[in-house]
Amino acid sequence: MAEPAPPSASGPPRVPPKVPPSHTPSLPPSLASRVLKAVLLILLAGGLLVAGATLYNGRLAARQSYDRILLGAARDIAGSIHIQSGRPIVDLPVSAFELLAQAPEDRIHYAVRGPGNTLITGLDETDIAPPARRGGASSGPEFFDARLNGEPARFVRVTRRFAERDFSGSISVTVGQTLRARQAMALGLTLDTVLPMLLAGLALLVMSWLVTRSALRPLEAMSEDLAARDPYDLTPVPTEGLPRELTVMLEAMNRFMGRLDRQMEGMRHLISDAAHQLRTPVAAIRVQAEAMQDQPDDALRARALTRLLTRTRSLGSLLDQLLSRALVSHRSESVPRAPLDLREVALEVVERGDHELLAPEAELRLEIGEEPVMVRADAFSVGEAAKNLLVNALKHGASPIAIGAELRGTEAALWVMDAGAGPAPEIAARLGQRFERSTASHEDSAGLGLAIVASVAAAFGGRIALEYPGGGFRIALLLPAAPQEDAPE
């Protein structure tokens, strides 16, 4: 027989921790079920109100009907009283009991009393009496509630006065019956109203279900269409033939998908441009570095080092412009537009002093007026556009160079002008496209400067204008002008 394994030296065996059972999250109620619950609550509330009102009106109708029966029987009995030999005689009429027989399940009570409350005929129950009236006795009928043999009952008292030679006084007739027929009548009236209303409520509930399902069918079709889409398919969802509420929601979703598509398109362009443009300069830098490493001649090595530095600067400029274009595309969709004075943009570009590093010998002038040149845009994006306009003029234009801002009717212009002749018209038509360079471009030009300006113009509903005034070439970024009320005080 095998011996049991010895206990571990580290102590008793470890008990694995208990893993709590996973709770499946309950699904939220559907829109159809919420609508049906709301309809059901409305029907229940309406049913209760109607049932209560019907029961009240039924009791009121039953009381009025049977009170008339009691009053008719009491008056028949009172009309049958006559005086004979100085004594009141009552010949109970059959018609009175025929009226009371309209409620066959009820117990009845009648009593005829003369002066001094003496019983002439009927049932002797002295505790059945109407409450005392204010202002004394009344000659009209008196209705009151009391108990008859332990049951709630309804009574009426009619008084007839006699003034004859051998008899003078009042004779009262009290007639009553229990409330079984009244309650049955009120219940019957209530059921006659509630049962059709219940059937109508069920019909309305079914109709609400069908109408809700019909109304939600376009939403289900839209959900199926979105679920069947490719994850990268951001084309707009068609809105033809849809209800107005869904159309509003879909238009908002289409605008969101359009912004997302533009963001993804910008990301794809950035990746494509980086892969396409960085491969050649990185390979050239690597080759020149290897050649410089194996070069024994100091003069050739210095020339190779100069070319390597030129390539490095070109690569840095390319990376800067690639990231700047990607950032401008991102901010145009994500940053809210704010009032912006183009004069401040031009002034900031001049005060930054980048022109002193790029072209120290160039003359730069700032031409702005006293009136604000207001637009609604992103300050960073417009600033990047102005910087690239100036860099483009410094690299490819001739001194002197001017930068300014002005209003042109409904448009606000931010422009840069140089004294050069500008590109040829066939080349100018292609400027603004990515990696488009003129034949006079330097080696460190990436062809993205005006592409950034074109992106800013498209993002804020503007355009680029290439102008050839006398004695120079001018590029202007034209944006829709904002009201002068937006200008800061």
Side-chain angles (χ1 to χ4, degrees):
M1 183 175 179
E3 295 182 358
S8 173
S10 61
R14 296 178 61 188
V15 179
K18 293 183 179 180
V19 179
S22 60
H23 296 282
T24 303
S26 58
L27 295 176
S30 64
L31 187 59
S33 63
R34 293 180 181 179
V35 172
L36 288 180
K37 286 180 181 178
V39 172
L40 183 59
L41 288 177
I42 292 174
L43 290 177
L44 287 177
L48 291 176
L49 289 176
V50 172
T54 304
L55 183 60
Y56 172 79
N57 292 329
R59 288 179 175 177
L60 184 61
R63 167 172 285 197
Q64 291 175 352
S65 299
Y66 283 95
D67 280 355
R68 291 191 181 99
I69 291 176
L70 285 179
L71 182 59
R75 284 177 173 173
D76 284 349
I77 295 175
S80 66
I81 301 174
H82 60 277
I83 306 300
Q84 184 177 357
S85 303
R87 295 178 56 189
I89 303 298
V90 181
D91 294 329
L92 293 177
V94 178
S95 60
F97 293 97
E98 287 178 348
L99 287 174
L100 296 175
Q102 299 296 323
E105 299 296 330
D106 282 326
R107 297 178 181 180
I108 65 172
H109 167 85
Y110 72 96
V112 180
R113 297 180 180 273
N117 204 26
T118 58
L119 181 64
I120 299 174
T121 184
L123 302 175
D124 187 11
E125 293 190 17
T126 57
D127 57 336
I128 298 177
R133 286 190 177 183
R134 293 182 179 179
S138 175
S139 59
E142 301 177 68
F143 290 95
F144 61 94
D145 296 319
R147 301 192 70 84
L148 179 61
N149 296 329
E151 290 187 48
R154 180 75 167 168
F155 297 88
V156 64
R157 173 171 290 185
V158 176
T159 302
R160 183 178 178 185
R161 302 182 184 277
F162 290 88
E164 298 184 6
R165 183 175 54 185
D166 52 355
F167 182 85
S168 178
S170 299
I171 299 177
S172 64
V173 178
T174 302
V175 179
Q177 64 181 169
T178 54
L179 307 180
R180 297 177 186 177
R182 298 168 182 255
Q183 294 173 350
M185 180 180 177
L187 182 60
L189 292 175
T190 303
L191 292 177
D192 291 342
T193 303
V194 170
L195 288 179
M197 186 183 64
L198 179 61
L199 295 177
L202 293 176
L204 287 175
L205 196 61
V206 174
M207 292 172 61
S208 300
W209 169 260
L210 296 177
V211 170
T212 303
R213 296 303 302 173
S214 175
L216 293 180
R217 193 171 293 117
L219 188 60
E220 294 174 353
M222 183 186 68
S223 302
E224 293 174 358
D225 176 70
L226 291 177
R229 281 192 172 208
D230 186 88
Y232 299 99
D233 185 6
L234 296 177
T235 56
V237 179
T239 59
E240 293 79 8
L242 294 178
R244 182 173 56 186
E245 293 79 6
L246 286 182
T247 301
V248 174
M249 182 187 70
L250 284 181
E251 288 175 352
M253 187 175 69
N254 286 338
R255 289 193 295 269
F256 170 75
M257 289 199 304
R259 293 195 300 269
L260 186 61
D261 187 38
R262 289 189 291 271
Q263 292 285 345
M264 294 183 64
E265 186 68 20
M267 189 182 303
R268 285 192 292 266
H269 281 315
L270 176 63
I271 296 174
S272 174
D273 295 345
H276 179 265
Q277 295 295 321
L278 295 181
R279 185 179 294 112
T280 300
V282 169
I285 289 174
R286 184 178 65 249
V287 170
Q288 291 175 1
E290 291 174 353
M292 185 179 63
Q293 184 179 12
D294 299 333
Q295 182 59 253
D297 190 353
D298 292 339
L300 295 177
R301 185 183 300 172
R303 187 168 61 181
L305 179 59
T306 302
R307 296 181 62 184
L308 180 62
L309 290 176
T310 302
R311 287 285 185 179
T312 304
R313 293 191 187 99
S314 176
L315 180 60
S317 176
L318 174 62
L319 288 175
D320 181 62
Q321 288 191 326
L322 282 174
L323 295 177
S324 176
R325 187 174 187 275
L327 187 57
V328 165
S329 300
H330 169 72
R331 291 178 66 89
S332 64
E333 297 291 343
S334 59
V335 177
R337 302 180 182 186
L340 177 65
D341 191 348
L342 294 185
R343 299 180 307 160
E344 296 181 0
V345 176
L347 178 61
E348 183 181 358
V349 170
V350 173
E351 291 180 345
R352 190 182 300 172
D354 292 342
H355 60 283
E356 298 176 357
L357 299 177
L358 294 175
E361 72 285 355
E363 179 186 352
L364 180 62
R365 298 195 304 264
L366 177 65
E367 298 182 4
I368 56 176
E370 297 181 357
E371 294 296 327
V373 185
M374 301 302 300
V375 297
R376 295 190 67 85
D378 173 41
F380 175 83
S381 300
V382 178
E384 287 294 309
K387 183 183 74 173
N388 282 277
L389 285 176
L390 180 59
V391 170
N392 182 76
L394 291 173
K395 286 185 177 181
H396 309 298
S399 182
I401 297 172
I403 181 172
E406 62 186 11
L407 284 174
R408 298 181 180 179
T410 59
E411 293 180 318
L414 176 65
W415 52 266
V416 174
M417 180 177 175
D418 65 87
E426 62 274 8
I427 297 178
R430 299 193 304 269
L431 290 181
Q433 301 177 6
R434 292 180 301 125
F435 309 112
E436 183 64 38
R437 295 180 293 183
S438 66
T439 55
S441 299
H442 301 291
E443 183 181 3
D444 59 347
S445 175
L448 283 174
L450 293 182
I452 294 175
V453 180
S455 298
V456 174
F460 301 109
R463 60 189 178 92
I464 296 179
L466 306 180
E467 303 167 350
Y468 295 86
F473 172 69
R474 181 167 57 200
I475 303 180
L477 171 63
L478 300 177
L479 299 176
Q484 295 299 319
E485 291 77 9
D486 293 342
E489 296 181 358

